[in-house]
């Protein structure tokens, strides 16, 4: 339990996916113009990453990394299988939500397809394998993977919503001509990264 | 101008993926802590880009349009896996410092972007040169950023001390925040140059990456470009510029 908590805090704050790992920079810069859309994007990322880390975990545990199938040699297919599974999964999630939960679909719908090539999703799936979370038993291994995925995505949510809040304020500021647009956002992100460095003493 | 040479020039200068198009920002920020990492990442991306451009161009009449994205992804992912294993075997040190970002070449905008906008519509040889040009352009960009960060953050270039002993390294430049600051200055410089060019009445290539809309983004085919309102098509703008020149 304590270990799970440490993994969660580590993934969400200490090694924040955007501000210290640089994954998912594109949506972080592109969809952070106002808090509402940023929260929508963040919510969709939390949703997709959590499901994707569970599904890729299952696939890794029972097929790719299964010692009974070719002695676990199939691991070299990790990248190929994971990216395809994630791409397909996003499509399925979209269809499923449209049919079953229209309110949620209306809130997240536009953002879902954008997530396929968000490198954070593939990044989490691969980190889960590299960190050896699945070496443990089936149940605890999958749970650790999902917790790590959820926490990473929560870190993304926090970062993008904070960024959107700050950007709304920046709109009213007097920014030098050359720094308008992306540059001032990057400077803001740098300052946020410094702030997040403060979490590094937590673990 | 010779088609192949024109492709090289296009990738290195006119549509440089780092300085002009602002594509592939994740590796640009993440691995440029030193010049050597920048070169390593750039060259491995180049290798993947050249191979995938070649194969996709060969298969361009075989792949049906409706499933082209998954097909491209499989092609790219296969080459990334090959590069991943080659690097793990032959340059373990570099492989270790680039870590997760090698398999993540799969989702690099540049690669799927070139497949979608160039290799799937053009013959094999120009596609190969397009890959070489774009890849080297990316390598130059990453190396330049790496040199700046290493110089300020450690006082070294390629691991050789160049700053005087009295120079106190600004460690922050090799840490995460430094990446954002260096890139911010770079984009600001780019804005300045663009503004000057526009003042002189010259045509400026469209900057892309998700920050600027979906025009050249790789995921456009998958996501349908929901964020894009009006997207200028890349090859078309190219042609126009060439005619004017």
């Amino acid at each position: 339990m304590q270990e799970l908590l440490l993994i969660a805090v580590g993934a969400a704050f200490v090694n924040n996916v955007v501000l210290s790992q640089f994954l998912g920079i594109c949506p972080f810069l592109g969809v952070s113009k106002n808090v509402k859309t940023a929260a929508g994007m963040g919510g969709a990322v939390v949703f997709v990453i959590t499901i994707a880390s569970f599904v890729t975990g299952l696939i890794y545990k029972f097929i790719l990394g299964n010692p009974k199938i070719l002695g676990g040699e199939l691991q070299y297919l990790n990248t190929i299988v994971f990216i395809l599974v994630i791409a397909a999964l996003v499509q399925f999630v979209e269809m499923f939500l449209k049919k079953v939960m229209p309110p949620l679909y209306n809130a997240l719908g536009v953002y879902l397809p954008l997530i396929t090539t968000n490198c954070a999703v593939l990044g989490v799936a691969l980190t889960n394998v590299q960190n050896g979370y699945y070496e443990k038993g089936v149940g605890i291994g999958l749970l650790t993977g999902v917790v790590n995925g959820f926490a990473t995505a929560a870190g993304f949510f926090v970062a993008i919503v904070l960024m959107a809040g700050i950007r709304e304020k920046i709109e009213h500021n007097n920014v030098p001509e050359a720094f308008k647009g992306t540059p001032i956002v990057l400077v803001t992100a740098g300052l946020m990264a410094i702030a997040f460095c403060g979490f590094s003493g937590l673990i | 101008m010779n088609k192949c040479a024109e492709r090289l020039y296009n990738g290195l200068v006119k549509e440089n993926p780092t300085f002009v198009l602002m594509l592939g920002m994740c590796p640009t920020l993440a691995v440029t802590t030193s010049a050597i990492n920048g070169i390593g990442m750039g060259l491995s991306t180049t290798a993947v880009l050249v191979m995938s451009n070649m194969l996709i161009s060969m298969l361009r009449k075989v792949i049906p349009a409706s499933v082209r994205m998954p097909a491209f992804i499989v092609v790219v992912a296969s080459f990334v896996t090959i590069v991943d294993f080659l690097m793990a075997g032959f340059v373990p040190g570099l492989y270790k410092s680039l870590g997760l970002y090698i398999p993540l070449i799969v989702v690099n905008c540049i690669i799927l972007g070139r497949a979608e906008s160039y290799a799937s519509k053009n013959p094999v040889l120009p596609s190969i040169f397009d890959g070489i040009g774009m890849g080297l352009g990316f390598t130059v960009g990453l190396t330049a950023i790496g040199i700046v960060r290493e110089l300020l953050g450690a006082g070294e270039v390629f691991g050789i001390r160049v700053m005087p002993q009295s120079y106190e390294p600004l460690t922050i430049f090799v840490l995460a925040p430094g990446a954002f600051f260096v890139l911010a200055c770079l984009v600001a410089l780019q804005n300045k140059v663009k503004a000057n060019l526009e003042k002189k009445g010259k045509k400026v290539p469209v900057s892309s990456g998700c920050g600027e809309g979906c025009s050249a983004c790789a995921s456009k085919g998958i996501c349908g470009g929901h964020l894009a309102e009006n997207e200028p098509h890349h090859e078309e703008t190219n042609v126009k510029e060439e005619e004017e020149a």
Side-chain angles (χ1 to χ4, degrees):
Chain A
M1 192 61 223
Q2 200 189 358
E3 196 194 345
L4 284 183
L5 196 67
L6 281 180
I7 288 178
V9 173
F13 295 111
V14 183
N15 295 315
N16 187 284
V17 64
V18 183
L19 298 170
S20 86
Q21 310 239 54
F22 304 111
L23 300 178
I25 295 288
C26 282
F28 180 68
L29 299 179
V31 202
S32 58
K33 286 214 174 75
N34 69 63
V35 174
K36 210 168 151 235
T37 48
M41 185 70 190
V45 167
V46 172
F47 196 75
V48 169
I49 291 193
T50 312
I51 297 177
S53 47
F54 178 69
V55 174
T56 51
L58 275 183
I59 291 175
Y60 181 81
K61 193 78 197 168
F62 290 105
I63 303 173
L64 296 175
N66 189 342
K68 282 183 198 134
I69 302 175
L70 293 175
E73 296 273 313
L74 280 177
Q75 284 192 34
Y76 68 89
L77 286 175
N78 278 353
T79 316
I80 304 177
V81 172
F82 285 174
I83 184 73
L84 282 179
V85 166
I86 289 167
L89 186 75
V90 174
Q91 301 280 328
F92 277 124
V93 167
E94 197 187 357
M95 282 190 259
F96 178 78
L97 283 185
K98 205 173 189 174
K99 198 86 186 159
V100 184
M101 286 180 265
L104 192 59
Y105 176 79
N106 288 337
L108 306 181
V110 211
Y111 307 106
L112 280 174
L114 289 175
I115 296 174
T116 317
T117 49
N118 181 337
C119 39
V121 187
L122 184 61
V124 169
L126 291 170
T127 331
N128 281 345
V129 173
Q130 278 179 5
N131 290 358
Y133 293 156
Y134 302 129
E135 308 289 312
K136 307 172 203 162
V138 177
I140 187 73
L142 285 177
L143 183 66
T144 319
V146 172
V147 166
N148 185 40
F150 177 78
T152 308
F156 179 84
F157 184 90
V158 169
I160 196 171
V161 170
L162 280 177
M163 174 51 106
I166 300 174
R167 268 182 93 167
E168 284 183 357
K169 299 272 184 241
I170 290 179
E171 289 290 306
H172 307 293
N173 288 0
N174 193 4
V175 179
E177 196 57 45
F179 270 86
K180 275 186 183 149
T182 318
I184 193 71
V185 179
L186 287 167
V187 171
T188 317
L191 293 175
M192 281 169 72
I194 294 181
F196 270 72
C197 283
F199 285 115
S200 57
L202 266 181
I203 291 186
Chain B
M1 201 173 6
N2 183 315
K3 186 91 182 156
C4 297
E6 187 269 325
R7 280 289 99 197
L8 284 181
Y9 175 73
N10 183 59
L12 273 169
V13 183
K14 217 164 84 185
E15 286 189 14
N16 186 300
T18 310
F19 296 132
V20 183
L21 295 183
M22 309 288 305
L23 288 175
M25 281 299 112
C26 295
T28 307
L29 288 165
V31 303
T32 51
T33 46
S34 69
I36 198 79
N37 280 359
I39 286 197
M41 185 70 201
L43 288 183
S44 36
T45 310
T46 310
V48 174
L49 187 55
V50 172
M51 304 295 260
S52 69
N53 261 7
M54 183 179 76
L55 195 64
I56 286 167
S57 175
M58 281 174 183
L59 296 175
R60 70 186 187 280
K61 296 199 175 105
V62 185
I63 301 175
S66 50
V67 293
R68 66 183 195 289
M69 270 299 154
F72 293 169
I73 291 179
V74 173
V75 170
V76 175
S78 317
F79 285 121
V80 169
T81 309
I82 295 172
V83 167
D84 188 68
F85 278 91
L86 286 178
M87 289 186 73
F90 290 104
V91 277
L94 186 64
Y95 180 76
K96 216 174 166 198
S97 60
L98 296 180
L100 187 61
Y101 296 95
I102 293 291
L104 284 181
I105 295 177
V106 181
V107 281
N108 190 323
C109 295
I110 300 172
I111 296 183
L112 276 180
R114 292 326 285 176
E116 167 81 4
S117 69
Y118 196 85
S120 60
K121 294 172 192 141
N122 288 283
V124 177
L125 202 60
S127 297
I128 292 178
F129 276 91
D130 183 71
I132 297 176
M134 278 285 158
L136 290 184
F138 189 56
T139 311
V140 169
L142 288 193
T143 314
I145 298 178
I147 288 176
V148 172
R149 285 182 69 187
E150 200 182 352
L151 186 68
L152 293 173
E156 298 171 342
V157 172
F158 290 107
I160 300 160
R161 179 107 200 166
V162 286
M163 293 298 234
Q165 286 300 325
S166 56
Y167 175 74
E168 190 74 41
L170 304 161
T171 319
I172 196 165
F173 277 98
V174 288
L175 299 177
F180 286 112
F181 292 139
V182 172
L183 194 69
C185 294
L186 188 73
V187 183
L189 197 71
Q190 185 202 11
N191 282 350
K192 186 89 190 156
V193 172
K194 262 188 195 168
N196 280 350
L197 280 180
E198 265 164 18
K199 231 182 259 169
K200 284 182 198 158
K202 279 189 189 161
K203 232 183 158 196
V204 189
V206 195
S207 170
S208 52
C210 270
E212 313 284 337
C214 296
S215 49
C217 178
S219 5
K220 190 178 61 178
I222 305 165
C223 82
H226 286 287
L227 291 179
E229 303 300 334
N230 48 345
E231 33 178 56
H233 198 279
H234 251 236
E235 296 311 314
E236 284 169 12
T237 46
N238 262 353
V239 173
K240 270 180 216 150
E241 277 161 29
E242 274 157 32
E243 279 169 3
E244 276 167 25

